[in-house]
Amino acid sequence: MKFRSLIVLAATFAAMAPAAAQEYPSRPVTIVVPFAAGGPTDVAARIYGEFFSRALGQQFVIENAAGAGGTSGALRAAPDGYTIFVHNVAPHVAGPVLYPSAQYDPVKNFEPIGTLAFAAHYIVIRKDLPATNLKEFIAYAKANPGKLNYGSAGAGSATHLACVLFGQQAGIDIVHVPYRGTGPALNDLVAGTLDLMCDQGLNMMGQYQGGTVRVLAVAQATRFPGLPNIPTSAEAGLPGYEVSAATAMYAIAGTPKPVLARLTETMKAAYKDPALRKRIEDLASELPVAGQDTPEALGAFTQKEAARWTDAIKKGNIKAQ
Ligand code: MLT
């Protein structure tokens, strides 16, 4: 749906706001996840979707609409609160810079509801590579320029951007293989057809625990408490390589204010739910802390990320594939 039509729809729905909001949600709500099932965005969306279904007494159903680095799904919303998004903030803001088909403005055309999880990226390699730590891996990649490949959820996805930075900072030439989500990419890493991923805990945790992949470092300044044996990038020999993903919920701009209020109140209740917190933390991810846990904070973060990634894409000459 193009944005001219969305604006007309927005005006129509705004006029209907009081009745709509009183009843909301009076039917199932679709959460569009713009990546394949099984990846980090999908996993976070399902955890919160279950909470929202229970809290609001209607099903919040996940629809995976993958393609074009996560931008295909972003075009499908209507401003009524019955189709909302869960997206990874980096590809959400990078999409319109990379894909001419992504005719949306990530700030103006969306209403922030809340951040679901922050997740550091991890350097994850296939189990049978001859490298047991980051230094050995970088040395091996330097000895084999252009021969090692990494999987991502498509050009502009967080897993892509994180590996572009990794390649630049480590001074290695690695080859990008885009997928429709990091879930399917991880399957290929386990199967041995990929060499590397710059993945999030939300995705790789199960495979790491099952011993089917090797995790070399976490791309942040401190070790994750739940993974005390994984060194930081600095400890592993690549200081300054720090990159973290944020998964967030948005409605479309023009959604009636009382509907937005119900969604944001429910998000705040989700943050307090011990079972939900545990599920997110068990996946090597963190919930927003005070100051990060409001729609305003997500709005400001989205704006900051848009500037950051637009710049990085231009400087790194990153292209959609
Ligand atoms: C990303 O790499 O941007 C996403 O987290 C991908 C996914 O959820 O599959």
Side-chain angles (χ1 to χ4, degrees), residues 140-163:
Y140 182 72
K142 282 188 175 160
N144 291 281
K147 292 203 183 127
L148 300 185
N149 58 24
Y150 67 93
S152 87
S157 64
T159 33
H160 175 221
L161 298 172
C163 261

Side-chain angles (χ1 to χ4, degrees), residues 15-41:
M16 292 161 57
Q22 262 172 18
E23 292 162 11
Y24 181 83
S26 59
R27 57 188 164 85
V29 175
T30 300
I31 302 180
V32 175
V33 170
F35 293 109
T41 316

Side-chain angles (χ1 to χ4, degrees), residues 33 35-36 38-42 69 88 90-91 121 152-153 156-160 180-184 200 203 245 247:
V33 170
F35 293 109
T41 316
D42 180 72
N88 192 316
H121 284 261
S152 87
S157 64
T159 33
H160 175 221
R180 292 167 74 80
T182 53
Q200 298 164 53
N203 197 38
T247 309

Side-chain angles (χ1 to χ4, degrees), residues 112-124:
I113 305 296
T115 305
L116 277 50
F118 291 101
H121 284 261
Y122 290 79
I123 301 298
V124 187

